[in-house]
Amino acid sequence: FASSVPGYYSVIFMDVQMPVMDGYEATREIRKLDRPDNDVPIFAMTANAFEEDRKHALDAGMDGFIMKPFRVDEMMKVIGEVME
């Protein structure tokens, strides 16, 4: 994201469990960038289904929470709620 042209991405689906930098930290880093599109909608993608996981994602700066495995209709509902 940081090396892309501003406005290139309209949404980010962020895996929460990544090996070097987890999705929470990656989201915090995106939100700190000095660029006009650092408010791009970011959706957590995770198999962790506890309410505390949802809260952790939102606290990190993510806009929505999609549980894996996901159903397309449920995913589209979450996206629609954020991107209205």
Side-chain angles (χ1 to χ4, degrees), residues 3 5 8 10 12 15-16 23 28-29 31 34 36 38 47-48 56 58 65 67-70 84:
S3 62
V5 175
Y8 183 79
S10 57
I12 296 173
D15 190 345
V16 171
R28 285 190 286 273
E29 291 299 315
R31 296 300 188 220
D34 184 24
N38 72 351
N48 300 332
H56 194 54
L58 297 176
F65 187 87
M67 291 185 299
K68 298 186 291 188
F70 61 87
E84 291 182 323

Side-chain angles (χ1 to χ4, degrees), residues 1 3-9 35 37:
F1 181 82
S3 62
S4 68
V5 175
Y8 183 79
Y9 293 101
R35 16 181 321 151
D37 60 346

Side-chain angles (χ1 to χ4, degrees), residues 54-71:
R54 179 184 308 273
K55 182 177 179 338
H56 194 54
L58 297 176
D59 288 347
M62 295 183 193
D63 300 284
F65 187 87
I66 301 169
M67 291 185 299
K68 298 186 291 188
F70 61 87
R71 292 183 10 188

Side-chain angles (χ1 to χ4, degrees), residues 2-83:
S3 62
S4 68
V5 175
Y8 183 79
Y9 293 101
S10 57
V11 66
I12 296 173
F13 295 103
M14 183 70 72
D15 190 345
V16 171
Q17 296 179 351
M18 298 185 295
V20 176
M21 179 185 297
D22 68 31
Y24 305 118
E25 184 61 27
T27 298
R28 285 190 286 273
E29 291 299 315
I30 289 170
R31 296 300 188 220
K32 288 192 301 189
L33 292 172
D34 184 24
R35 16 181 321 151
D37 60 346
N38 72 351
D39 62 345
V40 62
I42 300 176
F43 295 91
M45 302 286 287
T46 181
N48 300 332
F50 297 106
E51 185 58 35
E52 63 194 46
D53 298 309
R54 179 184 308 273
K55 182 177 179 338
H56 194 54
L58 297 176
D59 288 347
M62 295 183 193
D63 300 284
F65 187 87
I66 301 169
M67 291 185 299
K68 298 186 291 188
F70 61 87
R71 292 183 10 188
V72 173
D73 61 327
E74 292 173 358
M75 181 178 78
M76 295 307 291
K77 180 181 177 218
V78 171
I79 294 169
E81 289 170 355
V82 170
M83 300 185 74

